Amino acid sequence: MIKNIAVVFLILCAYVAFAEEPEPIILDSVEVSAERQKQRGNEISGNYMEKTGVQDLQQALRSVPGVTLSEGNARGESSFSIRGFDSSYIPIIVDGISVTSPFNGRGDSGSLLIGDMESILIQKGYSSMMMGANGMGGAVLLTVAKPKKGFELYLRDSLEMDSRFSLSANNLVASVGTKQDLFYLKATIQYRDVDHTRLPDNYTPMQGSVQNKGKRLYSDSDDFKTTVIAGITPTSDLDVWATYIYQSSDRGMNPPEVGPVYSLQGWDDWEHQSISLHSNYETDKLGVNLLVFYDTHDNILSSYSSFIHVDADRPNRITEYNEYATGASLNAGYIINEKNSLRGALTFRQDDHWGYRNDLVDRNDVHVKENKISLGMEYEYQPARKLRLAVSGGFDSLLPDTYWSRANVFAEYMQVSSYKIDAEDQWLLAGQAGVFYEFIENHELRLTYARRNQFPTMSDRYSTRVSETLPNPSLKPEVADHVELGYKGIFFNSLNVDIAGYYSHVNDKMAVIKVPDPFNSSHSAEFTTNLDAVSFYGLELSSTYFFSHWLDMGVNLSWSDYSIDKSVTDAKTMTYYPAFTLNSYVEILPWEDYISIMPVFEYMGERWTDTYGTGSLDAYYLLHLFLAFNITDNLRIDMSVRNIMDELYETRYNYPMPGRTYSMGLTVRF
């Protein structure tokens, strides 16, 4: 497949090289409405993403202060945390729809291709209450791109090579669209084919390790995504559109670097489909948005005892997840007068999870269905031109509908074929407030407070984790209080600074404890309950400085710390929580509008790998180089070298990351 697409790459090069007098183009721009201006957070620049060849959400998040990436875990998934809250507390929302798993609340950010997205906004702590339940740690908001011209064509193909210049991956994005007076239409196809990744040359296998030097075992993967958006604009203030998204992934195996005893897991099938209908009515004072959607997640996870079993296609356990989500939301805003405005949102979502497990002996089933209803209201008052006060409040509810299971060892002890659980409804109040004061032109201070909640996921309450954990359907929600003091300003029309100090305290944090096994007194079982409390605090800085028309630089850094205020398990440390991270770049434009040279530097500090402080990962730094050549207004060629120093590093213990990687890409845009 890689060779075939490489041929397409060369054909495109030839086509563009001989094209006659291409017409000038207008680069895509983000349409900013009054509604969007009120959404505060870190927005990832589309220009930065294009220059650094970003393909998925995980790569895009690398430059955001306060974000810690986690890659290379046992299931080959990528995830992230924001200010100490892992990804299960931070919904990934695409056009108002959470795309994370209904069962465990997580999403593989490394498989979420973003070539069809217009913008990415990261909110922390003080985040929108218009998106429905959960989001205790913030939210990642993505917007699907709509066409903006009568005819649009975008083609990008890039080839990757490992440190030995062996072809290792191909990435393709193609989209075509049109915008007319009364309608618009756009279709995007994305495909990523990874043949392998290669470990750094200084990698030394552990004694007895199954992983040798060179290519990473079972590091191949495939991702495919198609997005279609179609809309009508019968009047200037009404926009009605439908979106269809389909994505499938084969994520490879990603084995740990261990000795002779090990286990392997791999996603044989991973599919996500989303169908949604949107309508947006917006006048000078009134804005109304209606959303209706239906989502499906179909995943198959296979577990193997060894590579011999992988090669023989003999898994010792197959777990299949079929999940469905349907819902609707009504979001409205009204500008009462120059000083007062009001917004509100009512959302409903139903999650339906079916689990099937085949351990080559018997087949078992799990069915969980639950509903969530949320109401959020926000009032904004502007007593003076440079002072704004915002107050939000609302409630979230979790309404269990069905729990039925045969896939549970405890049902076998009770000698019943299946059992049901009647869980209680849960209702939560949430609120937040903010003061925003522009004390000097282009210099703003902000002080915000937010109380946010997080319902336990289906997995938290019902999963027995291969019959080793007692389910706890009575788990309570976790509650977090966030306080942030921040400043944003512009100096000399060239230096942009955004700095924030924050403090977050979490109560009723879930913890896993050991309890006597009710069916076997000589053994213990794990049990998840609400017992712990923890605090996170730190400083973040995001800054860009434009020295001249040919030189600029950016710095994103964060310092963070924590205190474990109460832990029933006597935990001493937070895992994978670095005290210091840094991402910075310098962009050099020796020939303005034609050549861009951008070195990028990353640093991540030391992290604990267990809760007792007995194991850690060393700090690491990475250096990358990105080159871009704008041959014409329609043609762009870019090259990059990632991990120039061929650094050996890990973001998860026992999962070494790729070494030096080269890439070359071609972009054609009309």
Side-chain angles (χ1 to χ4, degrees), residues 42 48 63-65 495-499 540-545 547 552-558 580-586 601:
N42 296 100
Y48 178 84
S63 61
V64 180
L495 175 62
N496 299 331
V497 177
D498 191 343
I499 187 170
E540 295 174 358
L541 170 67
S542 180
S543 177
T544 56
Y545 184 65
F547 292 91
D552 65 88
M553 69 174 296
V555 175
N556 297 289
L557 60 88
S558 64
F580 188 77
T581 62
L582 170 67
N583 183 289
S584 64
Y585 73 88
V586 176
F601 176 80

Side-chain angles (χ1 to χ4, degrees), residues 513-587:
I513 62 175
K514 292 286 188 179
V515 297
D517 189 327
F519 306 105
N520 189 341
S521 58
S522 63
H523 293 82
S524 62
E526 292 184 343
F527 185 69
T528 305
T529 187
N530 303 90
L531 289 174
D532 287 3
V534 64
S535 298
F536 303 99
Y537 47 91
L539 292 170
E540 295 174 358
L541 170 67
S542 180
S543 177
T544 56
Y545 184 65
F546 298 90
F547 292 91
S548 67
H549 65 278
W550 59 271
L551 179 64
D552 65 88
M553 69 174 296
V555 175
N556 297 289
L557 60 88
S558 64
W559 169 83
S560 55
D561 205 347
Y562 61 88
S563 64
I564 299 176
D565 305 320
K566 180 177 64 175
S567 174
V568 69
T569 60
D570 294 325
K572 301 296 189 299
T573 61
M574 297 293 297
T575 60
Y576 302 104
Y577 188 70
F580 188 77
T581 62
L582 170 67
N583 183 289
S584 64
Y585 73 88
V586 176
E587 184 176 18

Side-chain angles (χ1 to χ4, degrees), residues 202-214:
N202 63 341
Y203 167 77
T204 301
M206 296 173 57
Q207 185 175 3
S209 173
V210 295
Q211 173 68 57
N212 296 316
K213 283 179 169 289

Side-chain angles (χ1 to χ4, degrees), residues 9 13 47-55 154-161 171 594-598 625-631 634-642 661-669:
F9 181 90
C13 287
N47 183 52
Y48 178 84
M49 289 192 293
E50 184 171 12
K51 289 181 178 179
T52 55
V54 168
Q55 302 155 14
Y154 180 88
L155 297 170
R156 173 175 168 78
D157 194 12
S158 63
L159 305 178
E160 294 185 5
M161 294 170 287
N171 306 280
Y594 291 98
I595 299 177
S596 169
I597 304 171
M598 181 186 292
L625 179 63
F626 301 93
L627 307 174
F629 305 91
N630 295 316
I631 307 302
N634 302 92
L635 173 63
R636 176 190 180 93
I637 295 177
D638 57 81
M639 304 175 185
S640 70
V641 186
R642 290 180 172 84
T661 305
Y662 304 91
S663 72
M664 178 177 180
L666 169 73
T667 301
V668 180
R669 189 199 303 260

Side-chain angles (χ1 to χ4, degrees), residues 8 91 99 136 221 230 235 259 270 276 337 375 391 399 405 409-410 461 510 512 552 556 581 585 621 637:
V8 176
V99 298
M136 187 174 78
S221 65
T235 63
W270 187 94
S276 57
N337 52 42
L375 174 67
V391 179
L399 311 175
S405 175
V409 68
F410 306 107
R461 285 174 285 137
M510 289 181 293
V512 179
D552 65 88
N556 297 289
T581 62
Y585 73 88
Y621 65 89
I637 295 177

Side-chain angles (χ1 to χ4, degrees), residues 99-116:
V99 298
T100 52
S101 166
F103 184 65
N104 59 27
R106 299 180 183 275
D108 183 3
S109 50
S111 292
L112 182 53
L113 304 178
I114 58 173
D116 54 339

